Every structure is written in C-alpha cells, then in structure tokens.
Amino acid sequence: MSQSDEKGLLYGLNDRIGPLPAFCAALQHVLASVVGIITPPLIIGSVLGLQAWIPYLISMSLVVSGLGTFLQARRFMGIGAGMICLQGTSFAFLGVILSGGLMVKARGGSPEEIMAMIFGCNLVAAMIPMLISRCIAPLRKVLTPVVTGTVITLIGISLIKVSITDWAGGHNATNFGAPGNLALGALTLLVIIVLNRSQNRWTRLVAVVAGIAVGCLAAALTGHLSLKPMAETPWLMMPELFRFGFAFDWTIFVPIALVSVIAVIEAVGDLTANCMLSQQPIEGEEFERRMQGGIFADGISCLLAAVFSAFPNTTFAQNNGVIQMTGVASRYVGMVIGVMLLLLGMFPTIGYLLQQIPPPVLGGATIVMFGSVVAAGIRVMTQTPLGRREMLIVAVSFGIGLGVEAVPEVLKQFPALVSNLFGHAVTTGGMLAIVLNVILPAERGEVVAVKTVEESS
C-alpha cells in the first residue's frame, strides 16, 4: 500500500491504489449511493404508469451513473473534476418530470410518448450546466465561502432526514420506529465507528462494508431481512440510443431548465466540499479548473442520461462523507466506482442483491456520512471570519430554507411549479444566500481588509 503524504488521508487524490483496497473503497461508495440512483426511476415509473419499462430505466440509470463517474475521475481533455465525484440520478428533477409526464399523459400520450418528451426536454436542458461551466470566474464572485458553505450544510441536513427515515424502517414501513429497527441501525453505526477509529488502515478501509455486513447478518438472524421478488428481466441489459424517440415542448422544458440552474448551485457546493475533503485548494486557478470541468461533466452526464433513456444526473453529496470516513480520496477509486456501476446496470441481478439491504442498516451506515457533509459545509462557511453581514445571510438562509422544508404546506397556495422548485431547503436557502450576498453591502472594515489583501498580493 502506498502512503499518502496528505495528513488524515490514507490515499491522496493522485495516489495509486492496489486492486483490493480500491475495490473495498469503491464498494462503500456504491453501497452509499445505489438506492439513491435507482429510487427516482422507480418513483417516476410507478406514478406515470411506466411499469413495463422500470427495469430498463433502472439499468440505464446505473449505466449512465457509471459512465459519468468514470469521466469525472478520469478528467479527459479538461472535462471532469479529476476527483471521486459519483454521478447519480438527481432527486431535484423529480417534481418537474412528474408534472411534465402527467401533462403528456393527460393529452392521451402513450408511455413511449411520455418518455420521448421527458428525455427530449432533458437533452436540451443538459446544455445549461455546460454553458454555465464556461462562466466559473464571475460565478465564483457570487458563490463565496459563506454561500457555498450554506448550500453544502443544507444539503447535508436534507440528506440526514433521508438517513434517519431509513434507520426507522423506511417510507411506508408498517413497523416504522420499532426498537428492532433502531437497534439494527445502531449496531451498524457502532461497528463503523469502532473500525473507523482503528489505527489499522485496512479496518478503516472496510469500515462501512463491514458495518453493513454485520447489520445484514443481524437482520437475517432477527427476521428483519425479507427478500424482495425480482422482476423478470434479461440477464444482460444493453443500452440503446434514443430508444423511445425524441420530442420537445416549451411548457415542459422551462421548469426543467430552471431546476438545471439550481442543480448547478448544488454541484458547486458538492465539488467545493469534495476539494476540501480531498485536501485540494478551494480557491485559485486550480480550483476554478476543477469546478469548470466538474460542472461541464455534470452536463455531459445529463446528456448521456437523455440519450440512453435515464433521468438527469448530478454529483452526489453523500459520497463526500465516504471520503471522510475511509480516508481514501484517490481518483483511481472513482474510476473503479464507474466500472462497478456500469456492470450493475448491465447485469441487473447484481443490483437486485444490493437492493436487499434492510433500510435500518442502510440508515445506520449513512447517518455518519451525511453528518460529515454538514461538518464539511460548516468548515467551508468558516474559511473566512463571519461578520454581522455573513451571520445575517446564514441566519436568513437557514431559517427560511429549513422552515420551508419542515412545513412544505406554506407554499400550497402557490402554483405547483413554485412548490416543486422552492419546497426544499437547498433550493430556497441556496437562492436566498446568493441573493443576499449580492444585495447586502459589505461592511466598511471588510472592504478595507479586502483591499489590503489585494495590495499585498
């Protein structure tokens, strides 16, 4: 095993890593993300009556996630961040895609016509992050550490809600909150904490996998592991270009385009946290190049998703927590993750086995990862001293963002598009942080300090 020179990391960003430790580290990223990747196609397929196509949609979601993750880690011709930036199906687009699909369905559209319209609009919307990536320098003046730190923290808090729901048994569980569920999650978390604090690097490398394995074993012994039936699908699922054709409608495209802009803001936060956890600069030319390549690669992933009949992709925040837990930031692990996700999509049986992990076990494993995202956001936010102006931005963004997510009914009198766009802490809080950062004047002392730093440099 090679030793990284970077404090706190077992493997730094460009460290070569052996096949076995690379597989162990990659597997933990896959376990943390696979449910999130396949859940949006499951929901969309069920609501829009696309049951016959759900296995294909799930497989293509995994295939595209694998291709996008590999591209991000490989960083080909400046495309990609050159880090472990796992690409996964974005939940942010769920509301607008469902609204658009129901609109086509109300017109009498067939399942194939619904998907042709959705993927056609997504294809055009994929150009938006690519265009925004060309404007990173002026964008960085708006997305200051206070703004990006606020966005990262809100992302982590939103993810914790998902994790704690799984820990209690998962959505719609009849035994939600049962002591047995909470005990399973606690056992999984305890194993991960103990192994992660070990001085042996191998135990730290396999901490998450070992925790999930122990949790699954305990679930099987206590009757909490119930195998779900597998749908009849081919053993090999190959992607097809534009399988359902191409269609376009402005009324469906505009909401998707708006969410694409908001998704870029989230991606900036995720990429900033990734740089910090990988011990890379979070300012300067190198950072801007990583941002530019990462956001452009997000657009490429969305483009591939539309071409191969999957839903828009984004950089998953939860995998930053895995980097923190394992101490492995090597981008070569990102390439292994990409290959693993690609194989999961092409061979549905493997993905079926991973779906059998009980929600309480998954919740116990992810709670500490998502908490790490919150901690990363706080670290980014406090890179510069927080004056009265910055504290006001954070307070308003957190107060309204978390308030809207806690009580979504506050927007029920508005059109569905408004509630879909601004019913989440990340979008509402993130947009507020950007607006306040632009319109609130800096205090006189801050302006003088900035000028002094510029003159000295």
Side-chain angles (χ1 to χ4, degrees):
M1 282 186 168
S2 65
Q3 175 68 46
S4 171
D5 294 329
E6 295 168 281
K7 184 180 177 182
L9 291 177
L10 298 179
Y11 292 93
L13 187 66
N14 294 301
D15 283 353
R16 295 281 181 175
I17 182 169
L20 183 56
F23 174 80
C24 291
L27 181 59
Q28 295 176 99
H29 283 273
V30 172
L31 291 173
S33 60
V34 68
V35 174
I37 294 172
I38 68 173
T39 299
L42 274 171
I43 295 172
I44 293 170
S46 300
V47 173
L48 298 181
L50 311 175
Q51 279 80 0
W53 301 106
I54 285 178
Y56 182 78
L57 295 175
I58 289 175
S59 288
M60 291 308 102
S61 295
L62 290 165
V63 166
V64 171
S65 294
L67 293 173
T69 303
F70 188 92
L71 178 62
Q72 285 278 22
R74 179 65 181 82
R75 197 177 186 184
F76 179 71
M77 295 180 64
I79 302 174
M83 301 186 296
I84 303 177
C85 300
L86 194 145
Q87 302 288 285
T89 317
S90 174
F91 279 84
F93 291 84
L94 201 59
V96 291
I97 286 177
L98 288 174
S99 299
L102 291 171
M103 191 182 299
V104 177
K105 191 174 183 179
R107 298 172 187 167
S110 64
E112 288 79 6
E113 289 171 333
I114 291 173
M115 287 188 281
M117 182 67 72
I118 291 172
F119 297 133
C121 292
N122 289 344
L123 180 69
V124 180
M127 305 297 172
I128 293 174
M130 296 186 203
L131 294 173
I132 293 177
S133 70
R134 304 297 97 184
C135 311
I136 287 299
L139 191 65
R140 287 298 301 158
K141 296 178 181 178
V142 177
L143 300 176
T144 61
V146 171
V147 175
T148 52
T150 299
V151 171
I152 295 167
T153 306
L154 288 171
I155 290 171
I157 293 172
S158 298
L159 288 171
I160 286 174
K161 180 181 177 182
V162 176
S163 186
I164 207 71
T165 301
D166 281 340
W167 191 336
H171 285 289
N172 303 320
T174 55
N175 63 340
F176 189 86
N181 292 339
L182 301 179
L184 276 177
L187 174 63
T188 304
L189 176 59
L190 180 63
V191 171
I192 292 173
I193 291 173
V194 170
L195 295 181
N196 186 261
R197 296 311 302 159
S198 169
Q199 297 301 314
N200 186 300
R201 61 168 46 197
W202 271 104
T203 56
R204 186 176 174 185
L205 260 177
V206 301
V208 177
V209 173
I212 291 176
V214 171
C216 287
L217 178 61
L221 294 175
T222 57
H224 286 81
L225 181 61
S226 55
L227 297 179
K228 308 174 187 73
M230 182 178 178
E232 292 185 9
T233 55
W235 68 274
L236 179 65
M237 195 81 76
M238 294 299 293
E240 299 178 31
L241 298 176
F242 297 108
R243 178 165 183 168
F244 304 103
F246 179 92
F248 185 82
D249 187 316
W250 279 102
T251 58
I252 295 174
F253 168 75
V254 171
I256 293 175
L258 289 173
V259 177
S260 296
V261 175
I262 292 171
V264 171
I265 298 171
E266 293 187 32
V268 169
D270 293 336
L271 292 168
T272 303
N274 198 318
C275 284
M276 190 183 63
L277 293 171
S278 301
Q279 300 187 1
Q280 301 301 305
I282 58 171
E283 57 184 3
E285 292 185 9
E286 181 184 346
F287 175 66
E288 289 185 7
R289 285 195 298 270
R290 288 195 189 279
M291 278 287 177
Q292 189 174 55
I295 294 172
F296 195 91
D298 261 22
I300 294 290
S301 294
C302 291
L303 187 70
L304 292 172
V307 169
F308 291 129
S309 305
F311 300 105
N313 271 30
T314 190
T315 301
F316 267 20
Q318 51 261 50
N319 294 90
N320 290 334
V322 182
I323 296 173
Q324 174 77 25
M325 288 294 299
T326 61
V328 177
S330 172
R331 64 192 183 92
Y332 298 101
V333 171
M335 299 181 206
V336 176
I337 297 168
V339 173
M340 290 174 70
L341 289 172
L342 182 65
L343 293 175
L344 284 176
M346 294 178 64
F347 297 96
T349 305
I350 307 175
Y352 160 76
L353 293 175
L354 290 180
Q355 293 174 46
Q356 306 306 312
I357 299 173
V361 174
L362 203 59
T366 55
I367 190 76
V368 67
M369 300 177 198
F370 298 165
S372 297
V373 176
V374 176
I378 294 171
R379 285 177 60 187
V380 171
M381 195 187 308
T382 54
Q383 287 290 314
T384 55
L386 297 181
R388 288 186 302 163
R389 173 181 175 274
E390 288 73 24
M391 288 295 289
L392 183 62
I393 292 172
V394 173
V396 173
S397 303
F398 269 69
I400 297 179
L402 293 175
V404 167
E405 183 155 306
V407 190
E409 295 82 8
V410 74
L411 298 175
K412 70 177 182 179
Q413 300 296 330
F414 289 86
L417 175 60
V418 175
S419 59
N420 286 335
L421 287 177
F422 299 106
H424 307 284
V426 177
T427 51
T428 303
M431 293 297 290
L432 276 172
I434 291 171
V435 172
L436 291 173
N437 187 54
V438 171
I439 65 175
L440 290 181
E443 295 178 22
R444 183 174 180 81
E446 294 173 353
V447 175
V448 172
V450 170
K451 287 183 177 179
T452 303
V453 171
E454 290 176 349
E455 288 170 1
S456 62
S457 60

